[in-house]
């Protein structure tokens, strides 16, 4: 009987990568706590209409990428391709906006039927922060600073903040006409997708990655010259606050976002990491002042950003991050195993790090390879010689240095000594971010 494989575009998250993911999620919760954001969890599937109305029926996600099905009651449901629309639905359903502005964040899986590539899957995990109720540019900068905190925490130093404005509903109509005047004479030269978008939503052409569209996009008019007074003032406020906060950025007049609900400020942090190739956006977001109203709520300003965990951690890996942590005990022989068991038990009670031991008979090289593969920072080696000399070996797998642990009569003392040397290894070189 043939094996059953995971569906194309999905992945199994296995140790030690699962531990790395857990560490990242802990950091998400900590950053959210510091900025005053509360966690929200919404269903994995929602009414299809939510995404059609929220994202726009001309977006690629709605037209091509959603996993949609009818349930046994004949209702059209969709596995969520993003979480912002679901967050807004929850806000309205539970009347949260009546209590004032809301700062929310989430971690969870999303689903899109698109071509799998580096860091991009058909089931992928997303982190997002959303802020509702503030129309001022200070809220825009707050979200940008939250996103920047992830880059700072993981030392992604090459990411550049790209900034643009898409204006409001009033001034966007004139920009639409300018784009039509630019693209219509060259309609036959556009890609098939862009030809389809031309009359329905020409702004979406600017998001095209098709080579045949590149030259026309490069010469197209920009929104920065067509903003109304209030939008221009808002964008100037965002830039001034970023300058005062010491956040470097570049104005990218070609930057757009993939969903129709975005207005005014849009931003992306773009990394030059080769791990993602041309797909170098680490995270991105923007303002969506009309989304709550489009989904049946009162006029409510909002801004947020999303971060794909798979893509982000791939960028971190390309930057040289290592998440090695913990001690693997290597017992060479039955006597060594018996001597290690009480010490391992004490370490597990008192040390907030992973501690493992392999109870099978194996050679030292085999044990070392297993420890490296399982993501351990150090190994505790005990064999016949170590038992005889009463000096065990603790080896740092990153620096290759090692220390002798003088064995005492009780397990608690031995565990304290092992842990003290392990902490010294950690101080000697970063285990989480290593350059």
């Amino acid at each position: 009987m043939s094996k059953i494989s995971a569906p194309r575009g999905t992945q199994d998250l296995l140790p030690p990568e699962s531990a790395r993911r857990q560490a990242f999620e802990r950091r998400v919760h900590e950053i959210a706590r510091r900025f005053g954001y509360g966690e929200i969890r919404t269903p994995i599937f929602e009414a299809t209409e939510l995404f059609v109305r929220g994202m726009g029926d001309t977006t690629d996600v709605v037209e091509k990428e959603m996993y949609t099905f009818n349930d046994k009651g004949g209702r059209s449901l969709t596995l969520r391709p993003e979480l912002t629309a679901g967050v807004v639905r929850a806000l309205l359903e539970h009347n949260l906006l009546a209590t004032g502005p809301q700062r929310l964040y989430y971690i969870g899986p999303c689903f899109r039927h698109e071509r799998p590539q580096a860091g991009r899957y058909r089931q992928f995990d997303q982190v997002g922060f959303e802020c509702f109720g503030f129309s001022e540019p200070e809220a825009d900068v707050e979200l940008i600073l939250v996103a920047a905190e992830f880059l700072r925490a993981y030392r992604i130093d090459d990411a550049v903040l790209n900034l643009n404005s898409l204006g409001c509903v009033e001034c966007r109509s004139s920009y639409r006409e300018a784009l039509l005047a630019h693209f219509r004479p060259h309609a036959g030269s556009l890609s098939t997708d862009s030809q389809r978008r031309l009359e329905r939503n020409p702004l979406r052409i600017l998001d095209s990655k098709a080579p045949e569209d590149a030259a026309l996009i490069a010469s197209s008019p920009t929104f920065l010259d067509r903003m109304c007074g209030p939008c221009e003032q808002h964008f100037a406020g965002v830039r001034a606050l970023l300058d005062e906060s010491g956040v470097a950025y570049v104005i990218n007049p070609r930057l757009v976002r993939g969903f129709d609900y975005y207005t005014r400020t849009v931003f992306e942090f773009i990394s030059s990491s080769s791990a993602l190739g041309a797909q170098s956006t680490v995270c991105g977001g923007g303002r969506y002042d009309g989304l709550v109203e489009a989904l049946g709520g009162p006029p409510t300003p909002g801004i947020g950003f999303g971060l794909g965990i798979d893509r982000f951690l791939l960028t971190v890996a390309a930057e040289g991050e290592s998440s090695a942590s913990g001690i693997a005990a290597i017992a060479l022989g039955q006597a060594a195993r018996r001597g290690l068991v009480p010490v391992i038990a004490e370490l597990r009670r008192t040390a907030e790090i992973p501690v493992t031991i392999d109870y099978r008979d194996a050679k030292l090289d085999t044990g070392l390879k297993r420890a490296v593969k399982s993501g351990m920072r150090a190994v505790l080696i005990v064999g016949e010689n170590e038992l005889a000399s009463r000096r065990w070996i603790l080896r740092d797998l990153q620096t290759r240095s090692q220390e002798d642990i003088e064995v005492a009569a009780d397990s608690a003392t031995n565990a304290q000594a092992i842990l003290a040397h392990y902490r010294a290894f950690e101080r000697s070189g970063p285990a989480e971010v290593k350059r």
Side-chain angles (χ1 to χ4, degrees), residues 58 176-177 179-181 183-185 187 190 193-205:
T58 64
R176 182 181 188 278
E177 294 304 317
L179 288 177
L180 287 173
F183 287 119
R184 272 174 176 162
L190 293 170
D193 280 343
S194 292
Q195 290 180 30
R196 177 173 49 82
R197 295 166 175 162
L198 179 58
E199 299 299 331
R200 300 177 65 187
N201 190 351
L203 188 65
R204 296 286 295 118
I205 297 176

Side-chain angles (χ1 to χ4, degrees), residues 68-260:
T68 299
F69 59 95
N70 289 330
D71 68 4
K72 292 183 178 180
R75 292 173 289 266
S76 180
L77 301 174
T78 295
L79 297 179
R80 62 188 186 198
E82 58 96 48
L83 286 103
T84 300
V87 169
V88 173
R89 190 268 311 147
L91 285 177
L92 299 179
E93 183 172 342
H94 301 285
N95 202 29
L96 296 182
L97 294 172
T99 64
Q102 298 290 317
R103 287 180 168 92
L104 303 169
Y105 78 101
Y106 49 76
I107 307 173
C110 296
F111 307 85
R112 296 184 191 176
H113 190 280
E114 56 183 346
R115 183 175 64 87
Q117 52 187 294
R120 192 184 293 276
Y121 301 93
R122 290 176 175 174
Q123 176 180 329
F124 58 96
D125 289 320
Q126 187 90 1
V127 168
F129 283 69
E130 318 277 0
C131 182
F132 298 91
F134 299 107
S135 61
E136 296 79 8
E138 287 83 355
D140 305 43
V141 174
E142 177 177 295
L143 266 295
I144 290 172
L145 291 175
V146 174
E149 186 63 18
F150 285 94
L151 308 182
R152 187 200 66 79
Y154 280 91
R155 302 184 191 178
I156 304 179
D157 301 324
D158 69 343
V160 178
L161 172 61
N162 282 234
L163 200 65
N164 193 21
S165 176
L166 301 180
C168 61
V169 175
E170 286 72 19
C171 54
R172 190 179 297 187
S173 60
S174 64
Y175 184 51
R176 182 181 188 278
E177 294 304 317
L179 288 177
L180 287 173
H182 174 75
F183 287 119
R184 272 174 176 162
H186 310 284
S189 302
L190 293 170
S191 66
T192 301
D193 280 343
S194 292
Q195 290 180 30
R196 177 173 49 82
R197 295 166 175 162
L198 179 58
E199 299 299 331
R200 300 177 65 187
N201 190 351
L203 188 65
R204 296 286 295 118
I205 297 176
L206 301 180
D207 201 30
S208 171
K209 302 300 186 293
E212 56 265 45
D213 296 335
L216 284 170
I217 292 174
S219 61
S220 65
T222 71
F223 204 100
L224 299 179
D225 299 326
R226 290 166 173 80
M227 284 190 290
C228 64
C231 288
E232 188 173 357
Q233 184 178 3
H234 185 276
F235 194 47
V238 172
R239 300 197 308 272
L241 288 167
L242 288 173
D243 291 337
E244 293 168 11
S245 301
V247 179
Y249 60 89
V250 297
I251 303 299
N252 181 354
R254 309 299 172 193
L255 176 62
V256 295
R257 302 294 297 158
F259 302 147
D260 289 352

Side-chain angles (χ1 to χ4, degrees), residues 339-348 355 380 392 410-411 414-415 418:
L340 275 170
V341 166
V343 177
I344 297 300
E346 184 65 25
L347 280 170
R348 287 170 170 167
V355 180
L380 179 64
W392 296 355
D410 62 291
S411 299
N414 292 329
I418 292 167

